[in-house]
Amino acid sequence: MLTQEEDVDAHALHRRGWTISAIARHLDKDRKTIRAYLNGERAAGVRAPAGPDVFEPFVTYCRERLTEDPHLWATALYDELAQLGYDRSYPRLTHNLRTRGLRPVCHACRPTGGRPAAVIEHPPAEETQWDWLGATRCRVSRVNSQVGGRQCRMRRS
């Protein structure tokens, strides 16, 4: 694949009379690649697809299932698709759901639902919140924190 800059250079050198072999050596690319760009068979910055889209047969099923139940877990959908012949991984499924926008927006689950949210001002050094883990054994032997400008050391077991 050629970048936009390399494509412009290849066309400029070709107009100057350079051979395809000379352009390929200059840009450190294969002759067939340069020839394809000069003939207009390929476009700069656009990758050729690696193969057929294996998720395409499942798009309508996913759209229908997620429209029917927007809260359907992706793991449940993955199990259904596996029974229908989907042979890719779970992360590939979630990637396809995100990039294709197949999961509809649930307005009831949105945090504010379009309502104005209250913004509470918290000036620096006015408030401090401590969240402690209620574990009996902590892997960290010492927790260091800055309180009131001095160093405090608390020992956890």
Side-chain angles (χ1 to χ4, degrees):
M1 182 172 98
L2 293 182
T3 64
Q4 185 72 31
E5 182 180 339
E6 290 171 333
D7 184 48
V8 170
D9 288 345
H11 280 86
L13 294 172
H14 188 65
R15 280 192 301 273
R16 288 186 184 172
W18 285 40
T19 64
I20 291 176
S21 296
I23 296 170
R25 279 192 302 272
H26 180 71
L27 295 177
D28 197 26
K29 302 291 180 184
D30 189 70
R31 289 188 321 265
K32 295 182 288 276
T33 302
I34 300 298
R35 186 175 292 114
Y37 280 91
L38 291 176
N39 292 338
E41 298 169 8
R42 295 178 65 184
V46 179
R47 283 197 185 276
D53 186 7
V54 296
F55 190 71
E56 190 61 37
F58 304 102
V59 169
T60 55
Y61 180 80
C62 290
R63 185 173 286 120
E64 289 172 3
R65 284 291 286 131
L66 291 170
T67 302
E68 178 185 317
D69 182 11
H71 300 102
L72 179 68
W73 287 18
T75 53
L77 183 61
Y78 177 72
D79 293 338
E80 293 175 13
L81 291 177
Q83 291 175 356
L84 296 174
Y86 181 73
D87 61 349
R88 299 296 190 234
S89 67
Y90 173 76
R92 179 59 27 196
L93 169 69
T94 56
H95 170 78
N96 278 306
L97 293 176
R98 270 192 314 276
T99 57
R100 296 170 192 251
L102 296 177
R103 185 176 293 277
V105 176
C106 178
H107 296 288
C109 295
R110 293 181 65 193
T112 60
R115 298 181 310 272
V119 178
I120 302 171
E121 290 294 324
H122 294 285
E126 292 292 322
E127 295 181 16
T128 303
Q129 178 179 344
W130 294 85
D131 295 327
W132 293 98
L133 178 65
T136 56
R137 301 190 119 212
C138 186
R139 292 179 188 265
V140 179
S141 63
R142 288 185 178 167
V143 177
N144 295 327
S145 64
Q146 197 77 1
V147 177
R150 66 174 204 237
Q151 185 83 15
C152 293
R153 288 188 167 179
M154 293 170 264
R155 212 152 160 81
R156 303 285 306 233
S157 56

